[in-house]
């Protein structure tokens, strides 16, 4: 409904790419990788989405909106843990090519509105807080936490250095959420209708 297309990428990514995007993450390397580009298990879904976006840009698709739901593989206390994630990427204009609206490039608040629409389906309340992340612009990055202060995800603009290094010619915006936060939905509850008719009043107020 928000105009995104689903992407399905490999759970294995290029080691150099992953170290570039998330240098602080501890990852698992494969003993017998298919190729050097699929040598380590991903700790973020961003690597696959960034490659998919570049693939589209190289084929003259300048407006890209992608999302992916899948597993990331992280080491926790020496054990390999699998965590379900939902990630997205946007770049290009806010509207598809058309005559009625003036085109402009997407910004941080466009992707934030998409994420808020997703989180609005949840039973929990969420807060966006400024943060620092090596893959994100220092002035346009936020972490998302719930009312209990638990970390839920990240959102922001790709760091300008990474943008140039990877070959993008326009700002790229990313988000990644823990899937459980989105899947915990509110249960609809019926509220009885009032037996009284509605009343409308015009009021005039005098204030000093």
């Amino acid at each position: 409904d928000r105009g995104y297309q689903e992407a399905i990428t490999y759970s294995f990514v290029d080691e150099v790419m992953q170290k570039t995007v998330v240098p602080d993450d501890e990852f698992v390397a494969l003993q017998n990788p298919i190729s050097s580009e699929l040598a380590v298990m991903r700790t973020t879904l961003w690597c696959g989405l960034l490659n998919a976006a570049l693939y589209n840009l190289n084929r003259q698709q300048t407006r890209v909106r992608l999302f992916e739901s899948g597993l990331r593989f992280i080491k926790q206390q020496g054990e390999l843990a699998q965590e379900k994630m939902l990630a997205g990427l946007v770049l290009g204009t806010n509207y598809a090519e058309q005559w009625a609206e003036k085109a402009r490039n997407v910004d941080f608040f466009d992707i934030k509105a998409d994420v808020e629409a997703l989180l609005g389906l949840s039973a929990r309340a969420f807060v966006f807080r400024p943060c620092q992340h090596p893959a994100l612009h220092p002035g346009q990055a936020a972490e998302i936490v719930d009312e209990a202060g638990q970390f839920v995800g990240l959102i922001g603009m790709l760091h300008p250095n990474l943008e140039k290094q990877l070959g993008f010619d326009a700002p790229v915006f990313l988000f990644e959420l823990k899937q459980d936060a989105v899947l915990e939905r509110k249960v609809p509850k019926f509220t009885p209708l009032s037996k009284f008719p509605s009343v409308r009043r015009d009021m005039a107020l005098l204030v000093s």
Side-chain angles (χ1 to χ4, degrees):
D1 289 345
R2 307 292 297 188
Y4 287 69
Q5 300 292 323
E6 184 174 13
I8 301 175
T9 64
Y10 289 106
S11 297
F12 312 123
V13 296
D14 179 60
E15 181 176 348
V16 175
M17 176 73 161
Q18 181 147 280
K19 285 182 177 178
T20 301
V21 176
V22 280
D24 300 330
D25 284 3
E26 186 179 0
F27 57 83
V28 175
L30 302 180
Q31 290 185 347
N32 298 298
I34 300 172
S35 69
S36 60
E37 296 178 350
L38 302 170
V40 300
M41 303 183 80
R42 66 185 180 190
T43 61
T44 175
L45 276 59
W46 286 351
C47 294
L49 289 176
L50 287 167
N51 283 329
L54 283 170
Y55 187 92
N56 278 271
L57 281 176
N58 292 336
R59 283 151 184 82
Q60 299 178 314
Q61 301 301 312
T62 56
R63 183 178 184 271
V64 181
R65 275 167 165 68
L66 297 172
F67 81 93
E68 181 174 11
S69 60
L71 296 172
R72 72 169 182 164
F73 304 87
I74 54 175
K75 277 191 172 181
Q76 293 180 343
Q77 300 176 347
E79 298 290 331
L80 181 63
Q82 301 181 43
E83 193 170 19
K84 293 181 179 179
M85 305 297 290
L86 177 66
L89 175 151
V90 296
L91 65 89
T93 57
N94 58 329
Y95 298 116
E97 189 175 13
Q98 38 91 42
W99 62 269
E101 297 285 347
K102 185 178 179 181
R104 66 168 176 81
N105 285 333
V106 294
D107 59 25
F108 177 85
F109 296 102
D110 290 315
I111 192 170
K112 183 173 182 279
D114 293 336
V115 172
E116 286 180 328
L118 275 175
L119 297 177
L121 301 173
S122 174
R124 289 187 270 173
F126 301 92
V127 177
F128 292 76
R129 301 191 306 204
C131 74
Q132 299 290 324
H133 188 279
L136 301 176
H137 190 294
Q140 295 195 45
E143 65 176 2
I144 305 166
V145 297
D146 63 12
E147 65 264 21
Q150 293 184 330
F151 176 82
V152 171
L154 292 165
I155 181 175
M157 184 173 85
L158 186 67
H159 198 288
N161 292 339
L162 266 179
E163 182 185 307
K164 293 179 181 178
Q165 183 178 340
L166 295 175
F168 290 100
D169 57 3
V172 180
F173 295 88
L174 301 155
F175 72 84
E176 188 168 42
L177 307 170
K178 293 186 177 182
Q179 211 173 108
D180 292 344
V182 181
L183 296 179
E184 189 178 310
R185 300 284 297 274
K186 292 181 179 178
V187 178
K189 184 179 179 181
F190 175 73
T191 302
L193 301 176
S194 173
K195 62 182 179 180
F196 302 105
S198 62
V199 177
R200 298 178 63 187
R201 289 285 185 270
D202 289 331
M203 300 181 70
L205 304 176
L206 296 177
V207 295
S208 59

